[in-house]
Amino acid sequence: MYHLVCVNCGATYPADEILYNCTKCGHLLAVKYPLDSLNINKAVWDKRPLGVWRYKELLPVHGEPVTLQEGGTQMYHLKRLGEEMGIPHLYAKHEGMNPSGSFKDRGMTVGVSMALQLGKKSVACASTGNTSASLAVYAAKAGIPAVVLLPAGKVAVGKVAQALMHGAKVISIRGNFDRALEMVHDLCLSHGLYLLNSINPYRLEGQKTIGFEAVDQLGGVPDRFVLPVGNAGNISAVYKGLLELQELGFIDRLPMMTGIQAAGSSPVVRAVRENLPEVVPEMQPETVATAIRIGAPVNAEKALTAIRKTGGLAESVTDEEILRMQRDLARKEGIGVEPASAASVAGIRKLAEMGMIDRDERIVCVVTGHLLKDPDTVIKQCEPPTEIDANLPSLLSALHL
Ligand SMILES: *Cc1c(COP(=O)(O)O)cnc(C)c1O
Ligand SMILES: [Zn+2]
């Protein structure tokens, strides 16, 4: 059995208490397993298909999960981009290949399973887009209603389409993501819906499997793990999971956890750079990478620990650098991702140019969501199709032949 523990004061709570913050000090909670008595056999894991549920002994769900076979995503060697950057061991783990097209599915398969396990009848979240798409998908699979709050006009069209089609109640608020999260948090506390933002410690349990899979796919620990940072849940989750693997003796060291933010929305980078004890929220976050357009990251406390304890880095990249990397991944590697996802690899390009990393490192960049999530940003960057009359001479002339 596991329990919940406050990451600040160490207070513990039973696993079935529905809590999103420590009631003593208000800080974040994490799931704690009795690792020495778990008796996990690595050979048994290795026989199961790669995916979130390969690692079920380190997940909080007891019965049959609500699953669409998430995880097991491709790990690509970025051969050409790596050569260009002088980093021969550069990899991208393509989380856009999950059922709803982002890593949020790893969190939601566990989170929605926990909603049922805890006897909850409805679920809710605030979202910059992907969380709502994923929650809508998993609520549909579970057969329960979902409510999602979005910042009006700031969500990529593919994500809204998913939330609508999968049947969530979609509410657009005239305010930003940070406000939407406050509102849905209040709603869940007052009306008993189950909150599935990354403040929910069970959701992060699913997301930690990105790290487990990367270690299995590479046959060892990478030197550096790079993630785009919005609410900072994912980087915290991967760190927590790898710490558990280390405690179990399955790995002997941790990667340098490295967080990349958009320049217009980079409170975590600032806190690391200025060695602040906690982040100072940004009131007007702005970036083309809407998935990480977050001024007050709820998991900042955990993320700062992850970055600092592993000797990692935090860096920001401009929208221009993000979009250039989105095109480079698409055209030089055949990997289609949304802007936020390209931030991780753009960050590595920048850190390498600044001489901040050793070019021989084995580096895993998590690319978090699929290209088709945000078609508008794609269309804006590309030449429109060439329209011609329907005859061969016109075709030859269009091709300059
Ligand atoms: C949610 C999301 C992020 C940010 O993850 P956090 O856990 O909030 O830091 C990055 N990229 C994409 C595509 C996302 O959907
Ligand atoms: Zn506490």
Side-chain angles (χ1 to χ4, degrees):
M1 269 306 282
Y2 54 88
H3 60 268
L4 298 173
V5 59
C6 170
V7 300
N8 177 55
C9 77
T12 61
Y13 302 91
D16 57 0
E17 200 164 324
I18 292 168
L19 272 185
Y20 309 110
N21 291 106
C22 177
T23 53
K24 302 205 168 64
C25 75
H27 283 250
L28 297 167
L29 300 171
V31 181
K32 187 142 182 69
Y33 303 88
L35 292 177
D36 11 330
S37 58
L38 271 186
N39 201 8
I40 296 168
N41 185 340
K42 183 81 172 60
V44 171
W45 277 4
D46 291 342
K47 284 204 199 82
R48 297 179 188 152
L50 190 69
V52 170
W53 297 100
R54 169 184 276 200
Y55 312 99
K56 64 182 179 192
E57 289 82 359
L58 279 184
L59 295 173
V61 178
H62 302 312
E64 278 298 305
V66 179
T67 175
L68 291 156
Q69 299 167 30
E70 44 298 303
T73 55
Q74 290 85 337
M75 174 81 85
Y76 295 119
H77 181 209
L78 302 184
K79 198 159 173 296
R80 288 168 102 183
L81 278 179
E83 264 167 27
E84 271 183 28
M85 295 184 217
I87 304 171
H89 312 292
L90 183 63
Y91 297 85
K93 189 155 171 61
H94 194 349
E95 289 295 300
M97 304 304 274
N98 276 295
S100 84
S102 85
F103 72 81
K104 300 297 197 301
D105 294 344
R106 295 179 186 269
M108 288 306 175
T109 181
V110 172
V112 172
S113 298
M114 286 306 290
L116 300 185
Q117 187 166 309
L118 294 167
K120 289 293 192 172
K121 302 274 186 298
S122 56
V123 288
C125 71
S127 178
T128 59
N130 281 330
T131 301
S132 69
S134 186
L135 183 62
V137 164
Y138 284 85
K141 181 72 180 169
I144 58 173
V147 175
V148 307
L149 267 66
L150 307 176
K154 293 294 182 183
V155 178
V157 66
K159 306 174 187 183
V160 184
Q162 288 178 295
L164 292 170
M165 178 53 99
H166 289 289
K169 175 72 185 168
V170 180
I171 313 268
S172 271
I173 69 147
R174 293 182 211 97
N176 65 17
F177 167 83
D178 302 300
R179 180 66 192 130
L181 181 56
E182 283 170 9
M183 287 175 63
V184 77
H185 197 166
D186 288 348
L187 173 76
C188 287
L189 293 178
S190 60
H191 285 77
L193 292 85
Y194 193 53
L195 180 62
L196 276 168
N197 280 98
S198 57
I199 193 173
N200 182 314
Y202 293 122
R203 210 190 95 183
L204 295 187
E205 290 303 292
Q207 291 173 205
K208 74 186 180 184
T209 59
I210 297 176
F212 296 172
E213 288 183 13
V215 168
D216 281 352
Q217 287 172 305
L218 291 178
V221 189
D223 299 304
R224 189 179 297 277
F225 223 106
V226 191
L227 296 102
V229 170
N231 252 322
N234 215 26
I235 191 169
S236 309
V238 170
Y239 169 70
K240 176 184 190 276
L242 293 176
L243 207 54
E244 287 169 352
L245 286 197
Q246 190 181 37
E247 278 176 41
L248 287 165
F250 293 177
I251 58 176
D252 56 9
R253 66 197 172 94
L254 295 174
M256 293 175 275
M257 299 302 300
T258 298
I260 309 296
Q261 294 196 292
S265 178
S266 54
V268 173
V269 176
R270 208 183 128 206
V272 171
R273 197 173 283 159
E274 297 175 15
N275 207 16
L276 308 176
E278 54 191 55
V279 300
V280 180
E282 272 176 31
M283 290 307 151
Q284 307 288 348
E286 205 44 82
T287 167
V288 68
T290 49
I292 52 173
R293 185 175 171 274
I294 292 172
V298 291
N299 289 293
E301 177 180 25
K302 291 179 176 178
L304 289 176
T305 305
I307 294 167
R308 286 174 174 152
K309 286 250 166 113
T310 59
L313 292 167
E315 190 50 72
S316 62
V317 284
T318 63
D319 282 1
E320 210 169 81
E321 289 165 328
I322 288 172
L323 294 177
R324 179 176 157 223
M325 184 54 78
Q326 184 189 26
R327 294 191 300 272
D328 281 348
L329 283 165
R331 293 175 182 188
K332 296 178 181 171
E333 298 289 351
I335 298 174
V337 299
E338 66 169 289
S341 315
S344 57
V345 195
I348 281 301
R349 173 145 65 195
K350 182 165 178 190
L351 287 168
E353 282 166 3
M354 292 163 67
M356 297 290 289
I357 58 173
D358 176 348
R359 291 179 193 253
D360 281 329
E361 289 174 4
R362 188 157 64 155
I363 301 174
V364 172
C365 296
V366 180
V367 295
T368 41
H370 199 277
L371 173 77
L372 293 173
K373 289 284 192 173
D374 187 359
D376 293 334
T377 305
V378 174
I379 301 285
K380 269 187 222 147
Q381 290 178 72
C382 299
E383 286 285 309
T386 312
E387 189 174 320
I388 59 166
D389 290 333
N391 59 56
L392 201 54
S394 301
L395 176 59
L396 294 176
S397 131
L399 296 174
H400 309 295
L401 294 174

